Amino acid sequence: MLLLAKKVARLFIPSEIAVLAASYIHYHDLSLVHYINTSFFIGGLFLFFSLTIFILSSGFFDRTANGFRKTFTFNGKGLSKDELSEIKPLSELIAIPYLPSLLNGVLLMAVMMVCLWIYYL
């Protein structure tokens, strides 16, 4: 658990710096509204990336990828059953841990929600 917290902290601090830098570069000003807008997009990108990795590594698309391999040919030749069995499933090819980026995205969105709550007070 401590190792996961360190990974998230190593990802969260540069993400906050990236939010501030992107906000300043895009809007040429630092304000709460600009921070909220930018952190929403960057946090959403982290959530989208981590959920995509989670779905791909869970094996959800293994049957679909296998069906495409059986249906379509490569250079005019179909694949034999031995060749199909040697190909690794898609879920085994994805080896990226999704949890640190998922927690980073959730933290960015939580900070954005706190800033949004402060803004509307």
Side-chain angles (χ1 to χ4, degrees):
M1 188 67 165
L2 186 61
L3 182 63
L4 181 64
K6 285 182 182 180
K7 284 183 182 179
V8 170
R10 274 190 252 143
L11 201 57
F12 181 70
I13 293 169
S15 297
E16 284 294 326
I17 293 170
V19 166
L20 291 172
S23 177
Y24 185 74
I25 290 169
H26 185 268
Y27 296 107
H28 303 291
D29 185 27
L30 286 177
S31 72
L32 192 58
V33 175
H34 300 148
Y35 175 82
I36 291 168
N37 291 338
T38 309
S39 64
F40 175 77
F41 284 112
I42 292 178
L45 285 173
F46 272 103
L47 288 176
F48 179 75
F49 172 74
S50 61
L51 292 176
T52 302
I53 296 300
F54 171 71
I55 290 171
L56 288 175
S57 66
S58 70
F60 186 76
F61 291 110
D62 284 349
R63 291 196 185 262
T64 306
N66 195 19
F68 277 119
R69 287 185 190 124
K70 287 180 181 178
T71 303
F72 296 110
T73 59
F74 183 70
N75 289 337
K77 300 180 198 175
L79 297 174
S80 68
K81 287 187 178 185
D82 292 334
E83 290 172 331
L84 281 173
S85 64
E86 290 177 3
I87 298 174
K88 288 185 178 182
L90 185 62
S91 60
E92 290 180 14
L93 296 175
I94 305 295
I96 301 170
Y98 65 91
L99 196 56
S101 62
L102 178 70
L103 291 176
N104 186 40
V106 168
L107 280 173
L108 281 172
M109 291 298 219
V111 170
M112 187 251 336
M113 292 299 280
V114 168
C115 291
L116 198 59
W117 182 73
I118 290 169
Y119 178 74
Y120 280 111
L121 272 181

